[in-house]
Amino acid sequence: EVQLQASGGGLVQAGGSLRLSCAASGFTFDDYAIGWFRQAPGKEREGVSCIDSRDGSTHYEQFVQGRFTISSDNAKNTVYLQMNSLKPEDTAVYYCAARAPQYGSAWCRPLSVKFWGKGTQVTVSS
């Protein structure tokens, strides 16, 4: 059974940092690529960053470029999202997801997702 468990969310002041973790089970990173997505209240779910752990390639949406870093520990089957210089507009529920492997780190869109994990709330106060 494919499972993804996101953790590490919380309340932080603008300019602060958080590190999200996504623990995957029931599959390996050879089977699926991993992505981080977020959904703010009243908005559609959107891609944030995706990684192909087979070759280490990464993709970042423009609005997090230079502030967020995605990484993976293949031995632990865990993907991380280091979020620095957080802004109030980063406030959202963050989800990790298993994506069809043919996309690799590219096309970091919700439509590329095969399995969703439960989200973790990130709240950035101004």
Side-chain angles (χ1 to χ4, degrees):
E1 181 186 6
V2 172
Q3 290 189 335
L4 301 114
Q5 182 63 54
S7 61
L11 173 63
V12 65
Q13 288 189 333
S17 299
L18 284 173
R19 187 195 196 202
L20 304 184
S21 298
C22 174
S25 61
F27 68 99
T28 71
F29 293 155
D30 285 336
D31 301 319
Y32 296 103
I34 299 294
W36 284 99
F37 300 81
R38 70 186 187 186
Q39 188 166 18
K43 294 188 177 181
E44 293 186 353
R45 194 169 297 187
E46 60 184 358
V48 175
S49 180
C50 290
I51 187 168
D52 186 339
S53 298
R54 297 170 296 181
D55 61 12
S57 62
T58 58
H59 170 83
Y60 299 93
E61 294 300 321
Q62 187 175 3
F63 50 79
V64 301
Q65 190 84 36
R67 300 188 297 125
F68 291 10
T69 302
I70 192 170
S71 61
S72 68
D73 184 333
N74 292 4
K76 295 182 178 180
N77 233 32
T78 300
V79 172
Y80 305 97
L81 186 69
Q82 178 66 42
M83 305 187 297
N84 298 330
S85 302
L86 282 161
K87 304 175 182 180
E89 52 263 43
D90 294 318
T91 295
V93 178
Y94 283 71
Y95 300 88
C96 63
R99 306 166 54 246
Q102 63 264 33
Y103 297 119
S105 60
W107 203 57
C108 192
R109 298 288 185 268
L111 285 176
S112 69
V113 173
K114 290 290 189 181
F115 300 98
W116 291 99
K118 293 183 179 180
T120 185
Q121 176 71 46
V122 171
T123 303
V124 184
S125 64
S126 57

